[in-house]
Amino acid sequence: MPAMETLFWVGAGAVLGWMSYAFLGLNEARGLAVSIGIGAVGALVGAKGLAPMFITTAAPLDNFSVPFLMFAVGTAVICLVLGNMLYRRWDI
């Protein structure tokens, strides 16, 4: 089910956003909701936008895909770090 994969990727990004806020203090000044949103959107962009450009599979993507999850997690982390850097530098 592609919809379940999408929800899983967004959920993983949201959890990363929460963890970055709670444990690392990233995006602390903007609040928890912003961190969760940045993580969720970053994961969605990574899994739906970037992963298909770099990962080719012979089988159809009907099942859970670990490489797509890794792209989702990596992109979410990058978005969280960039969001924190932009806020600290230019208050964006």
Side-chain angles (χ1 to χ4, degrees), residues 21-65:
Y21 176 82
F23 299 114
L24 300 177
L26 295 179
N27 300 309
E28 196 170 63
R30 290 189 278 182
L32 178 61
V34 172
S35 291
I36 290 173
I38 290 172
V41 169
L44 189 62
V45 167
K48 290 285 193 179
L50 293 178
M53 290 191 291
F54 295 103
I55 299 172
T56 58
T57 59
L61 293 174
D62 292 336
N63 296 330
F64 178 74
S65 175

Short mmCIF file of all heavy atoms in Angstrom, two decimals, residues 21-65:
data_model
loop_
_atom_site.label_atom_id
_atom_site.label_comp_id
_atom_site.label_asym_id
_atom_site.label_seq_id
_atom_site.Cartn_x
_atom_site.Cartn_y
_atom_site.Cartn_z
N TYR A 21 14.21 18.33 18.54
CA TYR A 21 13.77 19.40 19.43
C TYR A 21 14.02 19.01 20.89
O TYR A 21 14.56 19.80 21.66
CB TYR A 21 12.29 19.68 19.21
CG TYR A 21 11.73 20.72 20.15
CD1 TYR A 21 11.89 22.06 19.89
CD2 TYR A 21 11.04 20.34 21.30
CE1 TYR A 21 11.39 23.02 20.75
CE2 TYR A 21 10.54 21.29 22.17
CZ TYR A 21 10.72 22.63 21.89
OH TYR A 21 10.23 23.57 22.75
N ALA A 22 13.64 17.80 21.25
CA ALA A 22 13.69 17.40 22.65
C ALA A 22 15.11 17.12 23.14
O ALA A 22 15.46 17.49 24.26
CB ALA A 22 12.82 16.16 22.86
N PHE A 23 15.92 16.48 22.33
CA PHE A 23 17.23 16.04 22.80
C PHE A 23 18.39 16.89 22.31
O PHE A 23 19.38 17.05 23.01
CB PHE A 23 17.47 14.58 22.40
CG PHE A 23 16.47 13.64 23.00
CD1 PHE A 23 15.58 12.95 22.19
CD2 PHE A 23 16.38 13.45 24.37
CE1 PHE A 23 14.65 12.09 22.73
CE2 PHE A 23 15.45 12.61 24.92
CZ PHE A 23 14.58 11.92 24.10
N LEU A 24 18.29 17.43 21.09
CA LEU A 24 19.40 18.19 20.53
C LEU A 24 19.19 19.70 20.61
O LEU A 24 20.14 20.46 20.43
CB LEU A 24 19.62 17.79 19.06
CG LEU A 24 19.97 16.33 18.82
CD1 LEU A 24 20.09 16.06 17.33
CD2 LEU A 24 21.24 15.95 19.54
N GLY A 25 17.97 20.14 20.82
CA GLY A 25 17.69 21.56 20.92
C GLY A 25 17.66 22.28 19.58
O GLY A 25 17.75 23.50 19.53
N LEU A 26 17.50 21.55 18.48
CA LEU A 26 17.41 22.19 17.17
C LEU A 26 16.05 22.87 17.04
O LEU A 26 15.03 22.35 17.47
CB LEU A 26 17.58 21.17 16.04
CG LEU A 26 18.94 20.50 15.94
CD1 LEU A 26 18.94 19.51 14.80
CD2 LEU A 26 20.04 21.50 15.76
N ASN A 27 16.01 24.03 16.42
CA ASN A 27 14.78 24.80 16.20
C ASN A 27 14.04 25.07 17.51
O ASN A 27 12.83 25.16 17.54
CB ASN A 27 13.86 24.10 15.20
CG ASN A 27 14.51 23.92 13.86
OD1 ASN A 27 15.03 24.86 13.29
ND2 ASN A 27 14.53 22.70 13.36
N GLU A 28 14.79 25.18 18.58
CA GLU A 28 14.20 25.33 19.90
C GLU A 28 13.42 26.63 20.03
O GLU A 28 12.37 26.67 20.67
CB GLU A 28 15.31 25.27 20.94
CG GLU A 28 14.83 25.04 22.34
CD GLU A 28 16.00 24.77 23.26
OE1 GLU A 28 16.86 25.66 23.41
OE2 GLU A 28 16.06 23.66 23.80
N ALA A 29 13.90 27.70 19.45
CA ALA A 29 13.24 28.99 19.58
C ALA A 29 11.91 29.04 18.82
O ALA A 29 11.02 29.80 19.18
CB ALA A 29 14.15 30.10 19.08
N ARG A 30 11.76 28.23 17.79
CA ARG A 30 10.54 28.25 17.00
C ARG A 30 9.47 27.32 17.53
O ARG A 30 8.32 27.45 17.18
CB ARG A 30 10.84 27.92 15.55
CG ARG A 30 11.60 29.03 14.88
CD ARG A 30 11.70 28.80 13.43
NE ARG A 30 12.81 27.89 13.17
CZ ARG A 30 13.19 27.52 11.97
NH1 ARG A 30 12.55 27.94 10.93
NH2 ARG A 30 14.21 26.71 11.81
N GLY A 31 9.83 26.33 18.31
CA GLY A 31 8.84 25.45 18.93
C GLY A 31 8.82 24.05 18.38
O GLY A 31 9.41 23.73 17.35
N LEU A 32 8.10 23.21 19.10
CA LEU A 32 8.02 21.79 18.79
C LEU A 32 7.28 21.54 17.47
O LEU A 32 7.70 20.70 16.67
CB LEU A 32 7.32 21.05 19.94
CG LEU A 32 7.10 19.56 19.77
CD1 LEU A 32 8.43 18.85 19.63
CD2 LEU A 32 6.33 19.02 20.95
N ALA A 33 6.19 22.25 17.23
CA ALA A 33 5.40 22.02 16.02
C ALA A 33 6.21 22.30 14.75
O ALA A 33 6.09 21.57 13.76
CB ALA A 33 4.14 22.88 16.03
N VAL A 34 7.05 23.31 14.78
CA VAL A 34 7.87 23.63 13.62
C VAL A 34 8.90 22.53 13.38
O VAL A 34 9.12 22.11 12.23
CB VAL A 34 8.55 25.00 13.79
CG1 VAL A 34 9.56 25.25 12.68
CG2 VAL A 34 7.51 26.09 13.81
N SER A 35 9.51 22.02 14.43
CA SER A 35 10.48 20.94 14.28
C SER A 35 9.84 19.69 13.72
O SER A 35 10.40 19.03 12.84
CB SER A 35 11.13 20.63 15.63
OG SER A 35 11.95 21.68 16.04
N ILE A 36 8.66 19.35 14.22
CA ILE A 36 7.95 18.18 13.71
C ILE A 36 7.58 18.39 12.25
O ILE A 36 7.72 17.49 11.42
CB ILE A 36 6.72 17.88 14.58
CG1 ILE A 36 7.17 17.37 15.95
CG2 ILE A 36 5.80 16.87 13.90
CD1 ILE A 36 6.05 17.20 16.94
N GLY A 37 7.11 19.58 11.90
CA GLY A 37 6.75 19.88 10.51
C GLY A 37 7.93 19.82 9.57
O GLY A 37 7.83 19.27 8.48
N ILE A 38 9.05 20.39 9.98
CA ILE A 38 10.25 20.36 9.13
C ILE A 38 10.70 18.91 8.92
O ILE A 38 11.05 18.52 7.80
CB ILE A 38 11.38 21.20 9.75
CG1 ILE A 38 11.03 22.68 9.67
CG2 ILE A 38 12.71 20.94 9.03
CD1 ILE A 38 12.00 23.58 10.41
N GLY A 39 10.70 18.12 9.97
CA GLY A 39 11.10 16.72 9.83
C GLY A 39 10.17 15.93 8.93
O GLY A 39 10.61 15.15 8.08
N ALA A 40 8.86 16.14 9.08
CA ALA A 40 7.88 15.41 8.27
C ALA A 40 7.97 15.79 6.80
O ALA A 40 7.98 14.93 5.91
CB ALA A 40 6.48 15.66 8.80
N VAL A 41 8.08 17.08 6.52
CA VAL A 41 8.17 17.52 5.12
C VAL A 41 9.50 17.08 4.51
O VAL A 41 9.55 16.66 3.35
CB VAL A 41 7.99 19.06 5.04
CG1 VAL A 41 8.34 19.58 3.66
CG2 VAL A 41 6.57 19.43 5.40
N GLY A 42 10.57 17.16 5.28
CA GLY A 42 11.87 16.70 4.78
C GLY A 42 11.86 15.22 4.42
O GLY A 42 12.40 14.81 3.39
N ALA A 43 11.22 14.41 5.25
CA ALA A 43 11.14 12.98 4.97
C ALA A 43 10.30 12.71 3.73
O ALA A 43 10.64 11.86 2.91
CB ALA A 43 10.56 12.25 6.18
N LEU A 44 9.21 13.43 3.59
CA LEU A 44 8.35 13.25 2.42
C LEU A 44 9.07 13.64 1.14
O LEU A 44 9.01 12.93 0.14
CB LEU A 44 7.07 14.06 2.58
CG LEU A 44 5.98 13.80 1.57
CD1 LEU A 44 5.52 12.36 1.63
CD2 LEU A 44 4.81 14.73 1.81
N VAL A 45 9.79 14.75 1.17
CA VAL A 45 10.56 15.18 0.00
C VAL A 45 11.65 14.17 -0.33
O VAL A 45 11.88 13.84 -1.50
CB VAL A 45 11.16 16.58 0.24
CG1 VAL A 45 12.21 16.93 -0.81
CG2 VAL A 45 10.07 17.62 0.25
N GLY A 46 12.31 13.64 0.68
CA GLY A 46 13.37 12.67 0.44
C GLY A 46 12.87 11.37 -0.15
O GLY A 46 13.45 10.83 -1.08
N ALA A 47 11.75 10.87 0.39
CA ALA A 47 11.24 9.58 -0.07
C ALA A 47 10.51 9.68 -1.40
O ALA A 47 10.63 8.79 -2.24
CB ALA A 47 10.31 9.00 0.99
N LYS A 48 9.74 10.73 -1.60
CA LYS A 48 8.96 10.85 -2.83
C LYS A 48 9.70 11.58 -3.94
O LYS A 48 9.44 11.34 -5.11
CB LYS A 48 7.65 11.60 -2.55
CG LYS A 48 6.66 10.83 -1.74
CD LYS A 48 6.03 9.79 -2.59
CE LYS A 48 4.81 9.21 -1.88
NZ LYS A 48 4.16 8.21 -2.69
N GLY A 49 10.62 12.47 -3.58
CA GLY A 49 11.29 13.27 -4.60
C GLY A 49 12.69 12.82 -4.94
O GLY A 49 13.04 12.67 -6.11
N LEU A 50 13.51 12.61 -3.92
CA LEU A 50 14.92 12.29 -4.18
C LEU A 50 15.18 10.81 -4.39
O LEU A 50 15.97 10.45 -5.26
CB LEU A 50 15.77 12.80 -3.02
CG LEU A 50 15.84 14.31 -2.85
CD1 LEU A 50 16.68 14.65 -1.63
CD2 LEU A 50 16.42 14.95 -4.08
N ALA A 51 14.58 9.97 -3.59
CA ALA A 51 14.87 8.54 -3.68
C ALA A 51 14.60 7.94 -5.05
O ALA A 51 15.42 7.17 -5.56
CB ALA A 51 14.11 7.78 -2.60
N PRO A 52 13.48 8.26 -5.72
CA PRO A 52 13.27 7.68 -7.05
C PRO A 52 14.32 8.09 -8.08
O PRO A 52 14.54 7.38 -9.06
CB PRO A 52 11.89 8.21 -7.46
CG PRO A 52 11.21 8.52 -6.19
CD PRO A 52 12.28 8.97 -5.27
N MET A 53 14.99 9.21 -7.87
CA MET A 53 16.03 9.63 -8.81
C MET A 53 17.31 8.83 -8.65
O MET A 53 18.09 8.71 -9.58
CB MET A 53 16.33 11.12 -8.64
CG MET A 53 15.21 12.02 -9.09
SD MET A 53 15.67 13.75 -9.18
CE MET A 53 15.89 14.17 -7.47
N PHE A 54 17.56 8.32 -7.45
CA PHE A 54 18.82 7.64 -7.17
C PHE A 54 18.70 6.13 -7.02
O PHE A 54 19.69 5.42 -7.12
CB PHE A 54 19.45 8.22 -5.90
CG PHE A 54 19.86 9.65 -6.04
CD1 PHE A 54 19.10 10.66 -5.49
CD2 PHE A 54 21.00 9.99 -6.75
CE1 PHE A 54 19.47 11.99 -5.63
CE2 PHE A 54 21.38 11.30 -6.89
CZ PHE A 54 20.61 12.31 -6.34
N ILE A 55 17.52 5.64 -6.74
CA ILE A 55 17.33 4.21 -6.49
C ILE A 55 16.50 3.63 -7.62
O ILE A 55 15.40 4.10 -7.89
CB ILE A 55 16.62 3.97 -5.15
CG1 ILE A 55 17.46 4.52 -4.00
CG2 ILE A 55 16.36 2.49 -4.95
CD1 ILE A 55 16.76 4.49 -2.68
N THR A 56 17.03 2.61 -8.27
CA THR A 56 16.27 1.90 -9.28
C THR A 56 16.00 0.50 -8.77
O THR A 56 16.88 -0.17 -8.24
CB THR A 56 17.04 1.80 -10.61
OG1 THR A 56 18.29 1.16 -10.38
CG2 THR A 56 17.29 3.18 -11.18
N THR A 57 14.77 0.06 -8.92
CA THR A 57 14.39 -1.27 -8.49
C THR A 57 13.78 -2.02 -9.64
O THR A 57 13.06 -1.45 -10.46
CB THR A 57 13.39 -1.22 -7.32
OG1 THR A 57 12.24 -0.50 -7.77
CG2 THR A 57 13.97 -0.55 -6.11
N ALA A 58 14.05 -3.30 -9.69
CA ALA A 58 13.47 -4.12 -10.74
C ALA A 58 12.03 -4.51 -10.39
O ALA A 58 11.20 -4.68 -11.25
CB ALA A 58 14.30 -5.38 -10.94
N ALA A 59 11.76 -4.64 -9.10
CA ALA A 59 10.43 -5.03 -8.65
C ALA A 59 9.59 -3.79 -8.38
O ALA A 59 10.12 -2.74 -8.04
CB ALA A 59 10.54 -5.86 -7.37
N PRO A 60 8.28 -3.90 -8.51
CA PRO A 60 7.43 -2.75 -8.18
C PRO A 60 7.48 -2.45 -6.68
O PRO A 60 7.68 -3.35 -5.87
CB PRO A 60 6.03 -3.20 -8.60
CG PRO A 60 6.10 -4.67 -8.73
CD PRO A 60 7.53 -5.02 -9.02
N LEU A 61 7.32 -1.20 -6.34
CA LEU A 61 7.43 -0.78 -4.95
C LEU A 61 6.10 -0.93 -4.22
O LEU A 61 5.51 0.02 -3.75
CB LEU A 61 7.90 0.67 -4.88
CG LEU A 61 9.32 0.90 -5.37
CD1 LEU A 61 9.64 2.38 -5.39
CD2 LEU A 61 10.30 0.16 -4.50
N ASP A 62 5.62 -2.17 -4.11
CA ASP A 62 4.38 -2.42 -3.38
C ASP A 62 4.64 -2.66 -1.90
O ASP A 62 3.76 -2.50 -1.08
CB ASP A 62 3.64 -3.62 -3.96
CG ASP A 62 3.12 -3.32 -5.36
OD1 ASP A 62 2.93 -2.14 -5.67
OD2 ASP A 62 2.90 -4.27 -6.12
N ASN A 63 5.83 -3.09 -1.57
CA ASN A 63 6.18 -3.40 -0.19
C ASN A 63 7.02 -2.29 0.40
O ASN A 63 7.44 -1.37 -0.27
CB ASN A 63 6.93 -4.74 -0.13
CG ASN A 63 6.06 -5.89 -0.58
OD1 ASN A 63 4.85 -5.85 -0.43
ND2 ASN A 63 6.68 -6.90 -1.15
N PHE A 64 7.31 -2.44 1.68
CA PHE A 64 8.15 -1.49 2.39
C PHE A 64 9.55 -1.50 1.79
O PHE A 64 10.12 -2.55 1.50
CB PHE A 64 8.19 -1.88 3.87
CG PHE A 64 9.07 -1.00 4.68
CD1 PHE A 64 8.68 0.28 4.99
CD2 PHE A 64 10.30 -1.45 5.12
CE1 PHE A 64 9.49 1.10 5.74
CE2 PHE A 64 11.11 -0.65 5.87
CZ PHE A 64 10.71 0.63 6.18
N SER A 65 10.15 -0.32 1.63
CA SER A 65 11.46 -0.19 1.01
C SER A 65 12.43 0.50 1.97
O SER A 65 12.26 1.68 2.29
CB SER A 65 11.34 0.61 -0.29
OG SER A 65 12.61 0.83 -0.83
#
